[in-house]
Amino acid sequence: MAKGESITQWNKSGDTSTLRNRKSFPTSAPNTPVSKGQSCPTGNDAQSSNGTSAQFSSRLSDRHMCTVLLVLVVGLSFSTRLYKITEPPHVCWDETHFGKMGSYYINRTFFFDVHPPLGKMLIGLAGYMTGYDGTFPFMKPGDKYEHHNYWGMRGFCAVLGSLLPIFAYLIVLELSRSETAALIAASLLIFGLAACSRPVEHKAVINVLLTDTGCITISQYILLDPILMFFIMAAVLSMVKFNQQVYRPFSASWWLWLVLTGVNLAGALGVKFVGLFVILLVGLNTVWDLWRLLGDLSLSLVDIAKHFLARVVGLILFPLFFYVTVFAIHFVVLNKSGPGDGFFSSAFQSRLIGNNLHNASMPEYLAYGSTITVKNLRIAGGYLHSHWHLYPEGVGARQQQVTAYLHKDYNNLWLVHRQNSNESQSPTPDLVRHGDIIRLEHKETTRNLHSHLHEAPLTKKHFQVTGYGNNGTGDANDLWQVEVCGGQKGDLVKVLRSKVRFLHRATGCVLYSSGKTLPKWGWEQVEVTCSPYLKETPSSQWNIEDHINPKLPNISLSVLKPHFLEILLESHIVMIRGNSGLKPKDNEMNSKPWHWPINYQGLRFSGVNETEYRVYLLGNPVLWWMNLASLGLYLIMVAVASVALQRGFSLSQKRKEHSHVLMRGGGLLLLGWLLHYAPFYTMGRVLYYHHYFPAMLFSSMLTGITLDILLKSADLLLRPPYSDWLQRAGQLVLLFTVLHSFYLFHPLSYGMTGPLAHEPGSSMAGLKWMDSWEF
């Protein structure tokens, strides 16, 4: 063999004539035979082993047919997604979030979201490029768009959603390697032309997905899901294409698919953190790829090192650069103060135009006699706050309330005093240091920050924090020790930058923002407690934000602005905390992972009663249940094939090809399904039905491969031509079932008005097969 790379392709079957007549490359070709029935043949494959002009013409004709069928796939995919794209002309479901965030990008207004920014940036860009001016408020679902240009953002998501069936089509063609695969795909797309002049071998293109109501619905609105699924499917397609470049390492096409894989991985992660699942899929594929290379003794260690470094560059360094660049653009564009300020540190806020900290000046180090605001470091932890209202009867001691308030307010101001109330009369006040014991007096009410052994209002294992005393006069329970996190005795407290904890001297607890919302008697502000658990957490860490002391020189806060890597790290910490904080609330609609594969419950996008335009996200139940049954069928078929191979049964070349496709191609798709589904069982955050759709893509592609091989195994039961007739009948029944089920359930995708499903005359009458469906 020639020197070069030797990797067993994901799919190689058939005789060895193609391999023998392949053009020579500097590579070591594997001994596994390559299928002669490769779909959409390339120029190198267009010549047959004997080189006759008739076979060449046949190959060329097949190639043209593949092109025609792909064009049909594209046309039908786009038409099903873009149909009625402007309906309904009001805000639906999460458009209220992601449409609003697109507007923020157009207006350059800073906001906070638990997901990375790429998806919202693209939505904003699509709106801007199609004439949307960013002025629609997106207040709540049901708000009319009126004269605002919203179709561009919906159309952008629909275009990316339209590419999903095309990607699935191409992925399965690559994994199954069947020359006639596109024929059955085209038959599905043009609604029933399955009859051909010869038996059809539809390698897993049943899953083209054009007829799934759920995929259509989720692609037609201003959401992150179609953008996320676009990058996931593009990454898988690029990976599969890269695997097929086994014979031409380091060629232009080899590098192209490697780099595209990395770009799409970065894109998936840049839209949502669940993009990590497809990164893991590609990572496992890469490890397997490198392990096989290591076992190829025709490759030198230098060659293996080159392959390793190429993958490090293409799949790690370049995607990382692209991902970081997305955040750099995000920070540059969103440079104005907005609703997201309060989720970030004071130092972060000093970057934002319009924020009171932007280009402000104040003393750099905390001193006695200063007037300050104190901000908690947890997400939505708020500012330390008090007001004249007392805790109600039965809620701890009936003293003045101390809370955390999410907005800037005069009642957030506190005075810093020594423990003995004797302030220095020197022209330069003393600075507060790590280990000092201080007293904080609320400026408006003149009461001291105070704690005692009464239990907190909501967090019963913590102690109550109150305002106590008058005109600065209180008791020993008003004393707090300053602790600079990571500091040592004598360290100064730096405004904006230092993380500070306040330890209560009398009880030993630490000042804490629980994040829990108080009842109406507490004005629905955030509970502040004194925690006996001294572990350092963001809830017990504070920083000094505003700092007023006329006796100290001011410095410009621009010198305290964090650099790019600091704000990049902080933004990820805030997003991760925000995700972990998305817990199910009482009476909130959510679902469990076991609900999803069985299509147990959908999601209402728009409308409730018969007078409203109703859209309901629900997968085509026939297809989803078919997917579920196919998962079990696939495992049985793989088990049978594995036992047959292990026991050395005499199998025909066709059976070996089927086993190879089933285990290699199907195994990759099963792994993709597991990686995009199983992790949700470990998540404590609130979950919704739409979280299953990336996994559903893999499940649908696996269904195609499974049913294809099942139908082609008809010759195990009958002899030709009866087996061919059975195979064709099965294909027609499957096609009719898919199309008819789509016809029945398509009103869920495109919207409906009039009677509800349980009422006479409804377009969905008799189709509410499960009580949990809410249409």
Side-chain angles (χ1 to χ4, degrees):
M1 286 189 248
K3 187 173 180 61
E5 180 182 24
S6 174
I7 308 175
T8 302
Q9 297 183 65
W10 280 107
N11 295 279
K12 301 182 288 288
S13 56
D15 64 31
T16 59
S17 61
T18 304
L19 181 59
R20 290 195 300 267
N21 291 279
R22 187 181 296 272
K23 291 177 68 175
S24 296
F25 293 98
T27 180
S28 176
N31 293 322
T32 308
V34 180
S35 172
K36 67 180 180 181
Q38 182 174 337
S39 60
C40 293
T42 63
N44 292 332
D45 298 322
Q47 298 183 19
S48 63
S49 58
N50 60 15
T52 63
S53 60
Q55 289 177 319
F56 177 79
S57 298
S58 176
R59 292 279 186 168
L60 192 60
S61 176
D62 287 345
R63 187 177 182 185
H64 290 163
M65 179 59 70
C66 285
T67 303
V68 171
L69 295 178
L70 184 58
V71 170
L72 286 175
V73 173
V74 172
L76 289 170
S77 180
F78 275 84
S79 62
T80 53
R81 267 66 182 176
L82 295 174
Y83 176 63
K84 298 179 72 172
I85 192 65
T86 59
E87 297 293 333
H90 60 248
V91 178
C92 293
W93 192 50
D94 270 357
E95 286 188 326
T96 188
H97 299 303
F98 302 120
K100 182 185 297 181
M101 292 171 188
S103 298
Y104 285 145
Y105 278 105
I106 294 174
N107 297 315
R108 306 193 68 177
T109 303
F110 187 76
F111 67 94
F112 164 70
D113 186 41
V114 297
H115 306 299
L118 180 59
K120 284 93 65 179
M121 288 173 60
L122 294 175
I123 289 172
L125 178 62
Y128 178 78
M129 296 295 290
T130 54
Y132 172 60
D133 59 6
T135 58
F136 185 73
F138 287 96
M139 293 299 294
K140 64 183 184 301
D143 287 352
K144 298 289 185 182
Y145 283 115
E146 297 177 342
H147 65 279
H148 293 277
N149 188 351
Y150 64 96
W151 66 266
M153 292 183 285
R154 277 192 183 176
F156 169 74
C157 293
V159 166
L160 295 190
S162 300
L163 293 171
L164 299 180
I166 302 168
F167 288 166
Y169 177 86
L170 296 173
I171 289 169
V172 173
L173 285 180
E174 288 293 337
L175 292 177
S176 59
R177 312 297 292 168
S178 171
E179 184 182 50
T180 56
L183 295 179
I184 283 293
S187 301
L188 287 170
L189 300 177
I190 58 179
F191 308 115
L193 298 181
C196 299
S197 60
R198 52 181 172 167
V200 195
E201 298 178 73
H202 63 299
K203 284 276 193 174
V205 286
I206 296 165
N207 56 290
V208 174
L209 305 176
L210 286 175
T211 50
D212 182 53
T213 53
C215 283
I216 293 175
T217 305
I218 208 166
S219 298
Q220 287 193 310
Y221 298 94
I222 307 171
L223 303 172
L224 296 184
D225 300 273
I227 307 174
L228 171 68
M229 291 190 290
F230 165 82
F231 282 114
I232 289 175
M233 292 293 281
V236 174
L237 176 60
S238 300
M239 177 189 70
V240 171
K241 287 284 190 180
F242 175 74
N243 288 339
Q244 301 300 334
Q245 303 302 312
V246 59
Y247 297 107
R248 48 186 75 189
F250 306 109
S251 64
S253 59
W254 188 90
W255 279 110
L256 173 66
W257 291 115
L258 178 64
V259 171
L260 283 178
T261 303
V263 168
N264 288 307
L265 291 179
L269 185 60
V271 176
K272 283 188 175 183
F273 284 129
V274 294
L276 287 168
F277 302 152
V278 73
I279 290 176
L280 183 57
L281 176 65
V282 173
L284 292 173
N285 174 76
T286 303
V287 170
W288 177 256
D289 189 15
L290 290 172
W291 181 252
R292 287 187 170 274
L293 280 173
L294 188 62
D296 185 355
L297 300 182
S298 68
L299 292 176
S300 69
L301 291 179
V302 173
D303 292 329
I304 294 174
K306 288 179 180 179
H307 278 282
F308 176 78
L309 291 176
R311 287 158 175 80
V312 168
V313 171
L315 300 179
I316 299 177
L317 297 182
F318 188 77
L320 182 62
F321 172 78
F322 181 81
Y323 180 77
V324 171
T325 300
V326 167
F327 275 89
I329 297 172
H330 169 73
F331 294 136
V332 169
V333 173
L334 302 185
N335 63 349
K336 297 179 182 178
S337 178
D341 294 16
F343 292 92
F344 289 81
S345 69
S346 304
F348 188 102
Q349 295 179 43
S350 67
R351 305 170 46 258
L352 302 173
I353 299 172
N355 190 284
N356 69 309
L357 298 176
H358 182 70
N359 289 337
S361 59
M362 62 182 64
E364 183 175 8
Y365 295 105
L366 181 64
Y368 292 104
S370 296
T371 301
I372 63 172
T373 59
V374 185
K375 185 177 185 298
N376 189 258
L377 297 189
R378 67 168 286 140
I379 293 179
Y383 296 90
L384 188 63
H385 177 95
S386 190
H387 40 236
W388 289 104
H389 302 278
L390 307 181
Y391 286 101
E393 196 73 39
V395 181
R398 190 166 170 77
Q399 296 176 4
Q400 184 170 295
Q401 296 176 17
V402 172
T403 65
Y405 189 47
L406 300 181
H407 307 282
K408 299 179 187 295
D409 185 80
Y410 184 78
N411 279 330
N412 298 342
L413 296 176
W414 299 81
L415 299 173
V416 182
H417 297 297
R418 295 179 180 275
Q419 61 174 322
N420 55 14
S421 299
N422 294 324
E423 304 295 344
S424 172
Q425 300 301 316
S426 66
T428 303
D430 293 335
L431 300 178
V432 178
R433 299 177 182 274
H434 176 98
D436 283 5
I437 298 173
I438 66 170
R439 180 170 51 83
L440 291 176
E441 177 188 332
H442 189 242
K443 185 172 183 180
E444 172 66 13
T445 62
T446 71
R447 288 176 174 161
N448 297 328
L449 185 68
H450 177 98
S451 187
H452 43 225
L453 295 179
H454 293 272
E455 67 180 17
L458 302 179
T459 310
K460 299 302 183 181
K461 293 184 178 181
H462 291 193
F463 302 133
Q464 183 186 34
V465 175
T466 68
Y468 180 74
N470 192 29
N471 291 325
T473 301
D475 61 20
N477 283 335
D478 302 338
L479 301 181
W480 303 82
Q481 183 172 353
V482 177
E483 179 185 280
V484 178
C485 297
Q488 54 188 351
K489 189 170 180 63
D491 286 352
L492 299 175
V493 179
K494 198 171 190 177
V495 298
L496 301 186
R497 308 289 285 183
S498 292
K499 297 179 181 179
V500 180
R501 301 208 307 167
F502 299 97
L503 277 69
H504 192 243
R505 291 290 293 171
T507 62
C509 57
V510 62
L511 191 66
Y512 189 94
S513 173
S514 71
K516 298 177 182 178
T517 302
L518 293 168
K520 290 186 177 180
W521 57 256
W523 302 94
E524 297 182 340
Q525 295 174 9
V526 178
E527 178 192 40
V528 169
T529 69
C530 199
S531 171
Y533 308 104
L534 302 184
K535 180 181 178 181
E536 286 190 6
T537 67
S539 295
S540 64
Q541 294 174 330
W542 308 75
N543 72 268
I544 310 303
E545 182 167 295
D546 296 289
H547 183 211
I548 303 170
N549 194 319
K551 295 183 179 180
L552 291 174
N554 291 335
I555 66 164
S556 172
L557 293 186
S558 60
V559 303
L560 300 178
K561 287 182 182 178
H563 54 70
F564 173 71
L565 291 181
E566 285 182 297
I567 62 177
L568 179 66
L569 177 62
E570 179 177 347
S571 64
H572 280 78
I573 293 173
V574 171
M575 285 188 292
I576 292 171
R577 290 176 184 167
N579 264 300
S580 63
L582 294 175
K583 304 297 184 182
K585 298 178 182 178
D586 293 340
N587 301 320
E588 183 182 19
M589 177 67 68
N590 63 83
S591 62
K592 300 183 184 302
W594 67 266
H595 291 173
W596 305 338
I598 64 174
N599 223 21
Y600 178 78
Q601 187 177 45
L603 196 60
R604 183 180 290 114
F605 269 35
S606 173
V608 177
N609 55 53
E610 62 184 30
T611 63
E612 296 176 323
Y613 194 97
R614 303 188 303 278
V615 178
Y616 190 71
L617 176 66
L618 184 73
N620 184 327
V622 175
L623 296 187
W624 283 54
W625 295 339
M626 187 185 299
N627 283 346
L628 185 60
S630 295
L631 285 171
L633 181 61
Y634 170 81
L635 296 176
I636 293 173
M637 292 170 64
V638 167
V640 171
S642 299
V643 170
L645 292 174
Q646 187 69 17
R647 295 295 299 172
F649 290 171
S650 178
L651 300 178
S652 66
Q653 185 64 32
K654 180 181 176 181
R655 295 283 173 257
K656 291 179 180 179
E657 291 177 7
H658 291 175
S659 299
H660 180 85
V661 170
L662 199 63
M663 288 188 276
R664 292 293 179 85
L668 177 67
L669 297 175
L670 178 65
L671 178 62
W673 176 77
L674 286 171
L675 291 176
H676 286 81
Y677 176 54
F680 286 101
Y681 282 94
T682 66
M683 294 184 186
R685 59 154 291 172
V686 61
L687 298 173
Y688 300 102
Y689 174 64
H690 68 98
H691 288 142
Y692 183 65
F693 275 78
M696 185 274 299
L697 296 175
F698 289 93
S699 177
S700 297
M701 290 188 286
L702 180 60
T703 295
I705 286 181
T706 302
L707 296 184
D708 168 66
I709 294 178
L710 178 67
L711 290 173
K712 289 198 300 185
S713 300
D715 57 355
L716 292 175
L717 300 176
L718 301 172
R719 294 177 300 174
Y722 304 109
S723 61
D724 295 337
W725 296 350
L726 179 60
Q727 178 183 341
R728 188 173 301 177
Q731 294 167 358
L732 289 173
V733 169
L734 178 62
L735 180 61
F736 175 79
T737 301
V738 169
L739 295 180
H740 185 63
S741 64
F742 173 71
Y743 169 76
L744 292 176
F745 287 94
H746 79 274
L748 296 178
S749 296
Y750 296 121
M752 52 191 169
T753 56
L756 303 179
H758 63 278
E759 298 173 349
S762 171
S763 59
M764 300 301 295
L767 295 176
K768 190 178 179 182
W769 298 343
M770 298 183 71
D771 292 337
S772 52
W773 296 349
E774 298 174 308
F775 55 78

